[in-house]
Amino acid sequence: MTNPQTPGPDSLAERLAAVRAGIADAAAHAGRDPDDITTIVVTKFHPATLVRQLFDLGVREVGENRHQEAQAKAAELGDLDLGWNFIGQLQSKKARQVRGYAHSVHSLDRESVVDALSSTDGSIDGFVQLNLTDDPSRGGVKDAGLESLAERVLNTPGLTLRGVMAVAPIDEDPRRAFARVRIASERVRRIAPDARFISAGMSGDYREAILEGATHLRIGSAITGNRPTHG
Ligand SMILES: *Cc1c(COP(=O)(O)O)cnc(C)c1O
């Protein structure tokens, strides 16, 4: 991918088609129905024009990890029937505003964020993010805190607990990491049987995620191309 000599798909449509084919292939290997897998295209750092192109290619779910950027793009693309997924670390102060455009928050990682998302005006989906590393700056709740955070979401008006979310650590085999997520998902389902979804798998590891039961993939660069540099 980083070798400029390597010919790869060079248009958005081709990259999207290649990833869709990769997902179908991995689903077949896993003996799963590809229709049970939702692909969220991560559009962070890319302009709204690219999101509109993705919509024209049939994409209906997008993911963003910074509140201000997401809010601006969602407003600019308000004419499109797009589902906005918030996937990044969230400050409690900003959490409430995310309800204004996102139908799903994948990064519920502590009680203060869950509490800040509480509302009596409609419900949005929530995933409890599990930290698979020992590094607290990585985002996500520690393994030991998983059930209590899930309970917190269950008891919060305005949030519907859908399942667990995780990012594979860089220094662990992704298949092994996602096997741990599958076990975490089973633990959550013991207290919330309907919260059966697993948000896992990115550009480099979505195949492994599918093999371990991921239902929501968050795929950026493999579809969008490299992200514009920023900041
Ligand atoms: C950026 C991001 C992704 C997508 O990463 P790619 O490697 O570009 O596919 C997925 N999940 C989260 C939480 C992200 O921040």
Side-chain angles (χ1 to χ4, degrees), residues 40 63-67 85-92 95 98 101-102 104-115 117 124-131 138-141 149 153 159 161-167 199 218:
I40 296 160
E64 290 281 337
N65 72 340
R66 295 190 305 181
H67 164 61
N85 295 261
F86 195 84
I87 64 171
Q89 283 189 39
L90 197 48
Q91 286 174 266
S92 305
V98 170
Y101 56 88
S104 186
V105 176
H106 293 237
S107 42
L108 301 175
D109 62 355
R110 56 195 193 282
E111 292 189 348
S112 59
V113 165
V114 172
D115 295 351
L117 283 165
I124 64 169
D125 292 345
F127 291 79
V128 170
Q129 182 179 355
L130 180 66
N131 187 349
R138 282 305 208 155
V141 65
L149 190 61
V153 178
L159 282 178
L161 181 64
R162 292 296 181 197
V164 295
M165 178 276 218
V167 175
S199 170
R218 308 176 313 271

